[in-house]
DNA sequence: GTGATTGTCAACTGGCTGGTTGGAAATGCT
DNA sequence: AGCATTTCCAACCAGCCAGTTGACAATCAC
């Protein structure tokens, strides 16, 4: 019998589950596979998390916590509005580039109507600071003449997310359609540049 | 024994499969359920399509054909560049609004690396006319002074798709995050308006 | 009308699945 | 040291799953 380390065991299960759910979706993921990936006995999934849905939710909470953490670390205070929006767009793009599993997990969760997200007290408490940031930056930008009036901060937030998220989310089918590899560093650089450009040009007065 | 109608049977199976794959993804969808939804004997799935993957691919080909059909019917010829882009954005938005299952099917297919799409001769032959359309419109717009120079048509095509697709794709989680129903007609109208606005403002010289 | 082909039916099947059970042993507390 | 609790192990299990099989009958072609 293995020496005990409950925290490490729990962690290994979460890491394995993250990979498995990203690869196979909730319905396709296999508890046996999660345990095998973690290198532990399958019963430990039930021991630590209770059931398949519960470990799935724990993974969702984890990936959301990551992106919220990144958002909190943005440090846009004191930047001129244009530089702030640019930084925000770039950071958002970079986070998605570094965490493609966030995207596929979210897509699968959305297909199921966000049932788990909606039932989570923890996620409910996990506000994104970004909308109020965007709102403040827009106001400052309008005041100093850098941005046009009348832009809704929620809509802009969604659009900034959309322009990067969709690219990563749909890279396989887009690559198939265009017959070129959008996963390449060059393609990602081009996309990042375009996203920044499209938004910044749109915000002009 | 039922009177025979092979075309109707095949059709019923495809319709049912479309619903089931959209609801449950490829891994989660059940052949029994597809047959039950279609109101036919399960063995007919195998008779008409061969196996689960094959009926899944048939559904993908169907939904792609639909969007290609809509694209072909756009009739942008002769429109001024600004009106043409606007119409294109609006039609794209409207198609996604009317076919949310296209989005979830594509998301699931992308999670699997677009394996089916990449293997389909039929989809390979199914070019989107949109990139060349966008390219032509941009050129005309630059020439007549309506649009700024240097916009890549492929990137713009991806962005136009992104701004609508992401909104519909992520409506459940976004609704949960914002605590408001983005599925409502008012929310969709607001989004449509914003998408048109963001892009048109961005294209200004 | 006859035979071949095709569409439809019902039942079957080997392996897979999420979850359960019983027990061993590591650990902590008194 | 003894007992209680917690962590870990291995095996089990009822039901599910994609796919198969055998047969019937509708339809077509000659």
């Amino acid at each position: 019998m293995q020496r005990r380390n409950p925290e490490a065991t729990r962690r290994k299960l979460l890491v394995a589950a993250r990979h498995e759910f990203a690869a196979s979706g909730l319905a396709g993921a296999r508890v046996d596979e999660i345990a095998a990936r973690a290198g532990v006995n399958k019963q430990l999934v039930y021991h630590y998390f209770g059931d398949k849905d519960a470990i799935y939710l724990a993974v969702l909470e984890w990936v959301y916590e990551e992106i919220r953490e990144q958002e909190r670390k943005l440090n846009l205070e004191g930047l001129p509005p244009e530089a702030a929006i640019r930084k925000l767009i770039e950071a958002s793009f970079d986070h998605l580039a570094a965490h493609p599993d966030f995207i596929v997990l979210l897509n699968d969760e959305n297909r199921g109507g966000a049932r788990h997200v909606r039932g989570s007290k923890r996620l409910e408490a996990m506000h994104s600071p970004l909308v109020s940031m965007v709102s403040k930056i827009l106001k400052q930008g309008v005041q100093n003449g850098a941005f046009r009036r009348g832009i809704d901060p929620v809509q802009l937030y969604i659009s900034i997310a959309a322009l990067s998220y969709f690219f990563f989310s749909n890279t396989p089918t887009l690559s198939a359609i265009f017959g070129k590899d959008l996963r390449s560093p060059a393609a990602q650089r081009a996309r990042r540049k375009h996203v920044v450009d499209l938004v910044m040009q749109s915000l002009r007065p």
Side-chain angles (χ1 to χ4, degrees), chain A:
Chain A
M1 174 135 340
Q2 184 82 297
R3 189 157 216 95
R4 294 175 181 197
N5 190 338
E7 292 191 347
T9 301
R10 193 174 189 281
R11 182 72 187 181
K12 279 190 282 191
L13 282 169
L14 269 175
V15 170
R18 183 172 176 161
H19 283 115
E20 179 64 10
F21 288 126
S24 307
L26 173 58
R30 296 294 174 251
V31 178
D32 278 342
E33 186 62 34
I34 291 167
R37 281 183 191 253
V40 303
N41 185 282
K42 173 172 130 178
Q43 195 271 333
L44 298 183
V45 174
Y46 301 96
H47 175 76
Y48 282 100
F49 297 97
D51 62 15
K52 188 179 175 182
D53 264 20
I55 191 172
Y56 173 76
L57 177 59
V59 169
L60 282 186
E61 286 169 350
W62 175 18
V63 296
Y64 264 105
E65 174 58 43
E66 277 183 338
I67 196 165
R68 295 290 174 261
E69 181 66 16
Q70 176 262 324
E71 286 165 356
R72 285 193 291 269
K73 283 180 171 164
L74 267 184
N75 264 325
L76 303 181
E77 297 290 344
L79 286 185
E82 280 167 299
I85 286 282
R86 180 181 295 269
K87 189 172 180 185
L88 193 159
I89 297 166
E90 288 171 347
S92 175
F93 187 94
D94 295 341
H95 186 80
L96 295 178
H99 301 86
D101 57 358
F102 175 70
I103 292 164
V104 293
L105 287 166
L106 233 66
N107 281 344
D108 202 50
E109 176 62 8
N110 275 294
R111 184 168 53 70
R115 176 165 58 89
H116 300 85
V117 168
R118 285 190 290 110
S120 164
K121 291 294 180 187
R122 220 179 126 208
L123 288 176
E124 192 180 327
M126 223 182 267
H127 308 296
S128 174
L130 280 196
V131 172
S132 60
M133 279 195 211
V134 170
S135 185
K136 198 160 156 199
I137 295 163
L138 284 179
K139 187 173 298 185
Q140 287 169 352
V142 169
Q143 277 169 356
N144 79 1
F147 298 153
R148 63 185 166 92
R149 326 184 73 90
I151 299 157
D152 182 84
V154 172
Q155 294 290 351
L156 184 59
Y157 169 77
I158 293 173
S159 293
I160 290 168
L163 290 162
S164 305
Y165 187 106
F166 175 80
F167 174 77
F168 291 112
S169 168
N170 288 49
T171 286
T173 51
L174 291 174
S175 298
I177 289 166
F178 294 118
K180 59 165 77 166
D181 184 11
L182 296 181
R183 235 169 321 215
S184 75
Q188 289 192 14
R189 275 195 302 275
R191 183 65 197 165
R192 189 175 189 266
K193 184 171 185 302
H194 167 86
V195 169
V196 172
D197 187 51
L198 188 84
V199 175
M200 298 312 297
Q201 294 290 331
S202 183
L203 295 183
R204 287 172 297 163

